Every structure is written in structure tokens, then in C-alpha cells.
Amino acid sequence: MSKFELKLPRMGESVAEATLTTWLKEVGDSIEMDEPVFEIATDKVDSEVPSEVEGILLEKLFTIDEIVKVGETVAIIEVNGESPSSAANISDVDSINKKTGDTKIEAPEEAVAVAEDMISVARETVDVPVRDYSTSERFYSPLVKNIAKEEGISIEELESINGTGKEGRVTKHDILAYIENRKSGKQRDVQKIDLAPQPEPSRPHAAVPMEKHEVSTVQSNGLDEVIEMSRMGKLIAKHMVESVSTAAHVQSFIEVDVTNIVNWRNKIKDAFEKAEGEKLTFTPIFIEAIAKALKKYPLMNISVDGESIIKKKNINIGMAAALPDGNLIVPVIKNADQLNLVGMAKVVNDLANRARNNALKPDEIKDGTYTVTNVGTFGSVFGTPIINQPQVGILALGAIRKVPAVIETNEGDFIGIRSKMYLSHSYDHRVVNGALGSMFAKAVADYLESWDVNREL
């Protein structure tokens, strides 16, 4: 028997630690491969961590509510037989032993022949390229990795396989089905992965040191209720303070006439829901306009890395969603510029519903390049949102209100009732000047005001 160290896996490029929230197994319990052992929570999402081996839980190294860093050992599992990490090495040694055996070397020529065989085995072992799956942010069990290595499956191919396991993990059946289809020449429905070179991990933001002020202690008079901040609330608070101390926040505001959009939506929303089985809200319409503006002004679709600017290839728009407990989460609409309005509506509704039910996957809350927040849902006319680092901009959508407005016509001006709203654009003045920040907001407004009332879906 051997012991296996179950470590906290990588949960995303920006996640360095997590809070252990629940143990799903007790010491002495048997564990199946890929069976969840404990639950963790980050500032972005909660997730279960499965076992990479089959065995018995021998020891817990962390207690509930403790902080665990990525790569730290969380539990010790007793494995029946050889551990996955040592099996290959033992196999190599056995193969060499079989070649040498326990036979007596009776002549120098035989000794030379045995030595040459051993050198040949060693060369073959060294010459075979070792496939490194550790660079992937996706979790793969040792069984899946071993099958991939044996079949010569590259990391790119492995990333492209649609997993049917929990949170989209690739199971043994998934990879075997992929191999079978590949051998038969059939194309399997796989997820296309952007293989563009990714930037190196970000260095710490070059924030200007801020003078620390002592915070006065608040005294309770005994009648006040003291409420402990939730784990997610603490993490969000820390993230917001870091953003304010990192980015030079500047805001631009613009009023938009969305009368045409309101009338168009009222006209087609019932038919849309009947045909698509989805409600058509204003959010996908606004996100479509924001995606077009990002294509027009790609320098809003960037992040800052020290003294360098990283221009993002994909347009991934984060959509801030309020949770029932009062906290906030930001699911990401990947490649938003490539979706039509029907597809956008389906993605928005799906992410919003699963966000409220705490059912988002880790991959669905990362890699955002720009964020939108709908403050109008709560009646706010406009706001000054804090940038979601490491992005450089966030757009707040104000409430749509009917207001009297001057309408210009060829026959003269007159007063009419129009549906209007404010767009509040916060951007990082370190890299986005006032002209670009304002032109971007104006581009979004222009797209919305020029809405085709005869548009068909």
C-alpha cells in the first residue's frame, strides 16, 4: 500500500488560494476515483475537489474555514496497490530488471550486451517526448492523463474534448470515445479552444503606494447587532479596495434615447418567448451594442501588466449578477461579438439563472475582458462602478425612464415623451484617456439610438 497526497488543484489563472468550506469524506471512508472529497470556495465560485485515486481517507490536513493555497496538500489517501505517480517508474525498473534478470554473467561479451540493452532502454525513455498536462487550468484525473499519454493525445486535443463529468470534467468514457472516433475518422462534437499564445502570468500591478491611515475602532453600545461578514463578502471587499488602489478611476456619463428599443421589444417579446422559450430582456440588447463598441475601440479591450498593455484577442464580457445573499458574481459571456441576439439572450438567461442558483462552473467566471453592470434593475439612474481588475473598463446601465424631451424635426422642435437612460462608464485613466473613454460610451449610445424598429430575429 502507498499514500497519495491530494492537493488543491489550479482553479484559474487569477486564483491563488481558496477557503475549505466542507469535508465530504471522513477519515476512514473509502473513496472512488473522481469522487468529491471536499468543497472549496474562492471569491468567484464554489467547487468540489475530486480524488485522483481510489483508496481510503487517511488524514485531513486542514479544517473547515482554513485558507488553502494552490498546490498545498489537503488530504492523505491510502491507495490499495501502487500510487499513480510511482506506477510508471516501477514499470520502467521492472522492464530493465527483466532484461538483466538474475542470470549469471559468464562472459565479458554478455556483460557488454546487457549494458548496451540497458543503455538502449534508457535512451528510448529519454527520447520519448514527455507530454506535460500540468500547464492546463482544467482538471484531469491520473487515469485520463495516462490514457492520453499512451495514445499520444496532445494538450490541445485534450482541452478540446467536451467532458460529461461534474463541472465539465473529462471522464474515462469521454476520452475513450474520443480515441475511438479519432481512429474511425469520425468528427466528434468538440469545443473549439482558442490556441492563441497566452501572455505570461501577470506581474503585480504597478500601483502607487498609498499612505496608510489608522482606522478607528467602532465601539458597540450593546444594543447594536454585530454581524460577521461572509467569506465572499470579505473577498469582494478586498478585491474592490485593491482595484481602487490600483486603477486611476475616471467616469464619463451619457444620456441615451432608447425609445425605439423599448417599442421594438414590446412588439416582439411575446412572439420571441413563444418561439425560443426564452424571455427577451434589455440586457442582451445592451451587451450586443457593447460588443460592437469594443470591436470599434479595441484599446478598451485590454489589461495592464506592469508597464505593458495586453491587447485581448477575444471579446469576453462579464455580466455582474446579484446573488440572493446580497453578494455579487460576474459570469462571463465568451466571444460575445460572435453571438446573434437570439444566442445572446439564451446565454444571458442561462448564466443569470445558474448564478442565482450557485451552479456556475469555474470556467464561466474567468477570462473576462470588459464588464457591464445593470444598476437600473434597482432603480438607480446612474452610478460610478469600480473596475473589475485586471480589466480597464466597466459600464453601468441606468434605469429606463419616461421623460419629456425636445424632439427635433424638419418642421421644428416640439416636446414629447421619450424613454431614456444613462450610461455610466468607469475606466482606468492610466491607459485610457478621456477621449477614448468618452468615444467608447458614445459608440454604445449611437448603436442603441439607431436601433432598427423593423429588425427581425
Side-chain angles (χ1 to χ4, degrees):
M1 292 187 179
S2 59
K3 296 180 180 179
F4 177 82
E5 296 182 350
L6 181 58
K7 302 177 184 294
L8 180 65
R10 294 178 63 189
M11 305 299 293
E13 182 180 339
S14 61
V15 178
E17 62 184 22
T19 302
L20 196 155
T21 56
T22 308
W23 278 103
L24 303 176
K25 292 289 183 179
E26 298 298 331
V27 173
D29 288 352
S30 60
I31 301 172
E32 301 292 331
M33 183 177 291
D34 287 336
E35 184 179 9
V37 179
F38 57 90
E39 292 181 350
I40 56 97
T42 70
D43 59 337
K44 296 182 177 181
V45 74
D46 296 349
S47 182
E48 295 177 343
V49 176
S51 173
E52 302 176 33
V53 297
E54 180 179 340
I56 297 174
L57 181 58
L58 203 61
E59 186 179 358
K60 300 176 181 179
L61 301 181
F62 287 86
T63 58
I64 292 176
D65 291 334
E66 279 195 298
I67 304 297
V68 186
K69 295 187 181 299
V70 170
E72 282 189 325
T73 301
V74 184
I76 304 295
I77 299 174
E78 187 177 63
V79 183
N80 295 324
E82 299 164 355
S83 65
S85 60
S86 61
N89 294 334
I90 294 173
S91 177
D92 292 343
V93 173
D94 288 344
S95 65
I96 294 175
N97 287 339
K98 286 178 182 178
K99 288 183 177 291
T100 59
D102 296 325
T103 57
K104 297 178 180 178
I105 308 300
E106 298 178 355
E109 291 80 1
E110 294 183 23
V112 172
V114 171
E116 288 179 348
D117 287 344
M118 295 176 67
I119 293 172
S120 176
V121 171
R123 281 177 176 169
E124 290 175 3
T125 304
V126 173
D127 290 342
V128 174
V130 178
R131 297 185 181 273
D132 183 14
Y133 301 106
S134 63
T135 57
S136 173
E137 295 183 0
R138 200 176 183 187
F139 173 83
Y140 300 106
S141 68
L143 179 61
V144 170
K145 291 179 182 178
N146 288 337
I147 294 174
K149 289 177 182 177
E150 290 173 4
E151 296 295 333
I153 295 177
S154 65
I155 182 64
E156 290 82 10
E157 286 182 277
L158 199 57
E159 291 279 2
S160 71
I161 299 175
N162 278 335
T164 59
K166 185 174 179 63
E167 297 182 348
R169 295 189 181 106
V170 176
T171 66
K172 172 185 174 182
H173 299 292
D174 295 329
I175 192 168
L176 291 179
Y178 175 81
I179 293 168
E180 184 64 26
N181 288 330
R182 189 175 67 164
K183 288 180 179 178
S184 62
K186 295 179 181 179
Q187 292 292 332
R188 190 164 182 261
D189 181 21
V190 298
Q191 178 183 2
K192 293 184 178 179
I193 302 295
D194 182 11
L195 301 180
Q198 296 296 316
E200 295 181 359
S202 298
R203 297 183 294 275
H205 295 288
V208 177
M210 297 181 67
E211 183 181 352
K212 292 185 178 180
H213 300 278
E214 289 188 7
V215 179
S216 59
T217 304
V218 178
Q219 299 294 331
S220 173
N221 61 11
L223 300 176
D224 302 324
E225 181 183 3
V226 179
I227 302 174
E228 178 73 17
M229 290 179 66
S230 67
R231 176 199 55 80
M232 182 174 283
K234 293 176 184 177
L235 293 170
I236 291 174
K238 179 182 176 183
H239 188 61
M240 294 297 98
V241 171
E242 288 177 349
S243 179
V244 171
S245 65
T246 297
H249 281 65
V250 175
Q251 285 80 30
S252 293
F253 306 93
I254 189 167
E255 190 178 30
V256 189
D257 188 332
V258 291
T259 305
N260 288 344
I261 292 177
V262 171
N263 292 338
W264 176 82
R265 175 181 171 273
N266 289 336
K267 181 176 66 175
I268 64 98
K269 64 180 183 180
D270 291 337
F272 181 89
E273 184 174 2
K274 184 177 180 180
E276 304 296 336
E278 299 279 350
K279 290 185 180 295
L280 180 62
T281 65
F282 289 107
T283 302
I285 298 173
F286 296 144
I287 292 179
E288 181 186 72
I290 293 168
K292 289 181 179 180
L294 288 171
K295 290 200 76 169
K296 183 175 182 179
Y297 295 104
L299 288 180
M300 282 303 311
N301 199 51
I302 64 173
S303 61
V304 181
D305 181 18
E307 296 182 350
S308 301
I309 292 174
I310 300 174
K311 187 177 177 182
K312 300 294 185 177
K313 177 182 177 182
N314 298 331
I315 294 177
N316 300 333
I317 299 179
M319 176 184 68
L323 300 178
D325 61 1
N327 287 313
L328 196 69
I329 197 167
V330 186
V332 177
I333 302 169
K334 305 291 178 67
N335 299 309
D337 57 314
Q338 299 177 19
L339 296 173
N340 60 22
L341 193 57
V342 175
M344 186 77 76
K346 290 180 180 293
V347 172
V348 166
N349 290 341
D350 175 59
L351 290 176
N353 289 333
R354 287 194 290 116
R356 286 189 287 268
N357 294 321
N358 196 28
L360 291 173
K361 301 174 183 177
D363 285 346
E364 293 172 329
I365 54 165
K366 69 176 186 178
D367 299 331
T369 61
Y370 189 87
T371 298
V372 58
T373 177
N374 191 353
V375 299
T377 302
F378 309 103
S380 295
V381 178
F382 53 80
T384 55
I386 297 175
I387 298 168
N388 187 15
Q389 295 296 325
Q391 300 165 22
V392 298
I394 180 172
L395 190 71
L397 309 173
I400 298 175
R401 302 174 304 145
K402 289 184 177 181
V403 296
V406 175
I407 302 174
E408 299 179 353
T409 68
N410 294 332
E411 289 73 28
D413 299 342
F414 64 93
I415 301 294
I417 303 300
R418 307 293 291 178
S419 295
K420 292 196 172 188
M421 64 180 293
Y422 282 99
L423 302 179
S424 308
H425 188 208
S426 292
Y427 47 95
D428 189 344
H429 209 17
R430 293 179 301 166
V431 290
V432 179
N433 58 33
L436 175 58
S438 298
M439 287 190 296
F440 173 81
K442 181 66 164 57
V444 176
D446 289 343
Y447 285 127
L448 296 176
E449 290 189 339
S450 61
W451 190 265
D452 183 3
V453 294
N454 297 314
R455 177 173 175 173
E456 296 182 358
L457 295 173

